[in-house]
Amino acid sequence: MQTLLQLGYAVFLAFWRRIFGGLFHNTPIISNRFLHHVIGALALAGFLYLSDYHLVQIILAPIVFQGLFWSRSHECCFDLGHREGTDVKEYEKLWYWNDLKKYIPEKYWYTFDGDFVLMTVRYTIPAILMAIILLNPLFIFAGLLVASIYTLCWIAYDFGWIKENPTEYAEVLTGFGIGLMI
């Protein structure tokens, strides 16, 4: 029963993540970010409740998951160095960029390598908190999973295996993968 519940949540999160990524961005109500967060939080709380987590975990995990893991933008680094003429101002919007660029050699800024590190760090920081709340040490690797999925989707795009926007595929696969990790 638990495996089926886990799989169901992963499928839900795959669709939810794609909608959160902008599937219905021109549709009133459905495109409302607050509604996305409420639905995502309630779904996680319901999954945790049905999975026999403690009340504190059921309350804290959805707040951290929606408030830190999903709501913080990955801005410009989602395309892993594919954006031509990337605007440096986009990177400056990242809350962790100024601190992180002290540790990344300048030749890697605004490149595939730099973007991969940024994506990994961006999702790993809240994943550590989620791992602690859920007592699930494997969730620490969620940041690496997200960055790797986006990387594989962009590589598939570069080789012509994906003909359209690789980000849309990455959103679905990321939602599914994260859903399985929780």
Side-chain angles (χ1 to χ4, degrees):
M1 180 64 175
Q2 184 60 36
T3 303
L4 191 56
L5 183 63
Q6 186 81 45
L7 189 59
Y9 180 69
V11 169
F12 163 80
L13 201 56
F15 287 109
W16 177 90
R17 178 61 187 102
R18 180 61 199 108
I19 291 168
F20 189 74
L23 180 61
F24 297 111
H25 68 275
N26 291 326
T27 308
I29 298 176
I30 297 175
S31 64
N32 183 297
R33 279 293 221 219
F34 180 74
L35 180 62
H36 293 167
H37 286 299
V38 169
I39 291 170
L42 291 174
L44 178 56
F47 169 73
L48 295 175
Y49 175 77
L50 294 173
S51 299
D52 293 327
Y53 279 82
H54 296 286
L55 183 60
V56 172
Q57 294 169 304
I58 294 169
I59 293 169
L60 289 180
I63 293 169
V64 171
F65 199 51
Q66 292 306 132
L68 298 177
F69 193 84
W70 289 128
S71 74
R72 304 300 304 223
S73 177
H74 50 231
E75 293 289 339
C76 47
C77 50
F78 75 93
D79 67 354
L80 295 145
H82 282 78
R83 192 180 311 195
E84 292 181 23
T86 298
D87 188 355
V88 174
K89 291 178 184 175
E90 289 290 313
Y91 285 85
E92 298 299 326
K93 292 179 186 176
L94 298 172
W95 57 272
Y96 51 90
W97 175 237
N98 286 328
D99 293 323
L100 198 56
K101 70 181 178 182
K102 296 173 191 172
Y103 304 102
I104 299 175
E106 191 170 345
K107 69 180 182 178
Y108 295 115
W109 296 1
Y110 323 119
T111 66
F112 168 82
D113 296 327
D115 283 354
F116 184 85
V117 169
L118 289 172
M119 286 282 284
T120 302
V121 168
R122 184 261 171 258
Y123 285 99
T124 298
I125 292 172
I128 291 170
L129 189 53
M130 284 290 292
I132 292 168
I133 292 169
L134 297 176
L135 304 174
N136 177 359
L138 291 179
F139 203 77
I140 291 172
F141 297 105
L144 185 59
L145 176 71
V146 172
S148 298
I149 289 171
Y150 275 82
T151 298
L152 291 174
C153 287
W154 277 97
I155 288 171
Y157 177 77
D158 289 343
F159 280 99
W161 301 329
I162 295 175
K163 301 292 184 204
E164 296 181 27
N165 191 344
T167 299
E168 294 174 0
Y169 292 97
E171 288 169 347
V172 171
L173 293 172
T174 294
F176 187 79
I178 295 300
L180 288 179
M181 287 185 81
I182 290 183

